[in-house]
Amino acid sequence: EVQLVESGGGLVQPGRSLRLSCIGSGFTFGDYAMSWVRQAPGKGLEWVGFIRGKPHIGTTEYATSVKGRFTISRDDSTSIAYLQMNSLKSEDTGVYYCTRERTYDWHALIDSWGQGTLVTVSS
Amino acid sequence: DIVMTQSPDSLAVSLGDRATINCKSSRSISYSPNNQNYLAWFQQKPGQPPKLLIYWASIRESGVPDRFSGSGSGTDFTLTISSLQAEDVAVYYCHQYYSAPWTFGQGTKVEIK
């Protein structure tokens, strides 16, 4: 069974940084892209970005709203994906979901979700 | 970025009746060489993460009931629930994975009339 477990959420002041982690199990981690999707309170889904698995492993893409502030990385030896969030803003508040993506050449499809971790950016 | 627009924002349907949700992309998300449409549908029930229902615009994910179906190509797509059940109350999102950054529609809330 595929499992994705996020951690690292919490309350952080505007302008500060936070790093989220996602540990995957039940599948061959390196074969999949890993991504992050967020959801502001009472709002819809916003794709944040992803890091590809094989064959284009390590390449990344980001949403326009976070490009230059957020960085996604992965450690396939421990099956963990990370989301480093810098220069946080109040509009970054929300539940952050870790997702697994099936790879189709340069494209990838979300097929599994974690339960999410809440990030609150407030002074 | 490709903008995904769903309609309606919400709908109320009687149990056993058909529910139809539309999704329009700001440009084509079809890839001619493989004749695929890079469009997926997700279902999100209250307090839960989303769940993949449909991909390649019309392929049901394993375990998804056959009352859910997807259709469309190019820029116009549809999710149909042929006979609404109580457990189908949820918000439904369309999603394009054709061109990064991937994007979602704003969501359509389905309720029981």
Side-chain angles (χ1 to χ4, degrees):
Chain A
E1 180 194 3
V2 173
Q3 284 199 317
L4 300 168
V5 179
E6 304 93 340
S7 61
L11 175 63
V12 60
Q13 293 178 327
R16 303 299 292 266
S17 299
L18 197 65
R19 189 178 80 161
L20 306 183
S21 301
C22 168
I23 184 162
S25 61
F27 62 101
T28 303
F29 194 80
D31 287 350
Y32 292 84
M34 298 300 296
S35 62
W36 294 87
V37 177
R38 67 185 181 183
Q39 188 167 35
K43 302 297 184 182
L45 303 172
E46 180 185 17
W47 184 83
V48 171
F50 83 145
I51 185 165
R52 291 183 177 88
K54 298 173 185 175
H56 308 294
I57 198 162
T59 59
T60 54
E61 303 282 355
Y62 296 97
T64 304
S65 59
V66 307
K67 195 176 292 185
R69 298 189 299 125
F70 290 12
T71 302
I72 297 173
S73 59
R74 62 189 297 157
D75 182 344
D76 291 352
S77 68
T78 56
S79 300
I80 300 177
Y82 299 98
L83 176 63
Q84 177 67 43
M85 303 183 291
N86 298 332
S87 303
L88 282 162
K89 307 174 183 180
S90 58
E91 51 263 42
D92 295 319
T93 293
V95 174
Y96 283 70
Y97 294 102
C98 171
T99 70
R100 185 186 82 164
E101 298 204 21
R102 299 174 194 163
T103 301
Y104 301 98
D105 195 17
W106 289 98
H107 307 266
L109 165 70
I110 297 170
D111 70 356
S112 299
W113 299 68
Q115 290 298 311
T117 187
L118 177 62
V119 173
T120 304
V121 183
S122 174
S123 55
Chain B
D1 299 2
I2 296 178
V3 177
M4 307 298 288
T5 304
Q6 293 180 227
S7 62
D9 288 334
S10 65
L11 74 161
V13 176
S14 299
L15 289 172
D17 282 357
R18 179 184 299 260
T20 301
I21 301 169
N22 299 301
C23 175
K24 189 174 184 68
S25 58
S26 59
R27 57 184 173 96
S28 177
I29 54 175
S30 299
Y31 186 52
S32 300
N34 62 10
N35 200 32
Q36 293 285 16
N37 293 282
Y38 288 69
L39 189 283
W41 290 95
F42 291 90
Q43 174 194 62
Q44 187 177 31
K45 296 181 179 180
Q48 297 183 18
K51 171 189 171 184
L52 176 63
L53 294 179
I54 302 281
Y55 60 101
W56 298 132
S58 62
I59 306 298
R60 266 189 307 275
E61 176 72 337
S62 175
V64 173
D66 61 7
R67 63 180 180 273
F68 291 93
S69 64
S71 63
S73 66
T75 61
D76 293 282
F77 301 90
T78 300
L79 174 70
T80 302
I81 309 172
S82 61
S83 176
L84 191 76
Q85 305 299 303
E87 61 264 33
D88 301 334
V89 169
V91 179
Y92 294 83
Y93 296 92
C94 62
H95 168 67
Q96 69 82 18
Y97 51 105
Y98 175 77
S99 175
W102 312 154
T103 47
F104 291 91
Q106 80 275 17
T108 295
K109 187 174 186 178
V110 174
E111 300 173 305
I112 304 295
K113 186 186 292 183

